[in-house]
Amino acid sequence: MKQFQYYFRNVLIASILLLGGFGLKDNISQEPQVHTVEIIKMKFVPQHLTVKKGDKVIWINKDYILHDVTDEKNGKWTSKPFGKGKSWSKIITHDEDYFCSLHKVMKGTIKISS
């Protein structure tokens, strides 16, 4: 009987640890992440970014001239122009197409992964 209790106790402990570990891993993987887009030589680098809903994107200007980040589809959001070494950030809740309204050839996209 003692052998059965010992075996049952060990199986129970292992099951709790195993199931608890899976739950912990799921919670960690769903924490919002921070992604960086650098503005270098009149380009957004990377130009195309894939993130999860709720992640934060930070744009950092490494150029000597002012840039901004503006919603390309309907202009619902925009940053103020920011200079070298300055940054601007946004929490991503849906796919975004954006550009620099000061230099319209600069474009980027953010897609939300499932």
Side-chain angles (χ1 to χ4, degrees):
M1 186 68 174
K2 282 188 171 188
Q3 187 177 12
F4 176 75
Q5 289 174 338
Y6 177 78
Y7 173 77
F8 180 75
R9 185 188 70 180
N10 287 339
V11 169
L12 181 62
I13 290 170
S15 298
I16 291 170
L17 291 175
L18 184 62
L19 292 174
F22 283 125
L24 181 61
K25 184 176 179 182
D26 288 344
N27 289 337
I28 290 171
S29 66
Q30 292 187 15
E31 289 292 319
Q33 302 294 309
V34 176
H35 306 270
T36 301
V37 175
E38 294 181 333
I39 302 171
I40 304 172
K41 298 180 182 178
M42 302 287 289
K43 294 181 181 175
F44 294 110
V45 179
Q47 185 177 7
H48 306 288
L49 189 60
T50 301
V51 303
K52 291 187 178 181
K53 187 174 185 176
D55 283 359
K56 181 181 202 175
V57 176
I58 301 174
W59 288 266
I60 302 173
N61 187 353
K62 302 247 177 153
D63 278 349
Y64 286 98
I65 58 177
L66 294 176
H67 293 290
D68 70 11
V69 184
T70 302
D71 174 33
E72 187 176 33
K73 290 180 182 175
N74 51 26
K76 282 188 173 181
W77 55 265
T78 187
S79 70
K80 292 181 179 178
F82 54 100
K84 183 173 180 161
K86 302 296 181 182
S87 64
W88 184 78
S89 65
K90 178 173 176 40
I91 303 297
I92 306 303
T93 57
H94 55 276
D95 292 347
E96 301 282 5
D97 293 332
Y98 63 90
F99 74 117
C100 174
S101 70
L102 305 171
H103 311 99
K104 297 186 189 309
V105 296
M106 296 174 57
K107 297 184 178 194
T109 61
I110 302 171
K111 301 293 178 199
I112 293 188
S113 67
S114 48

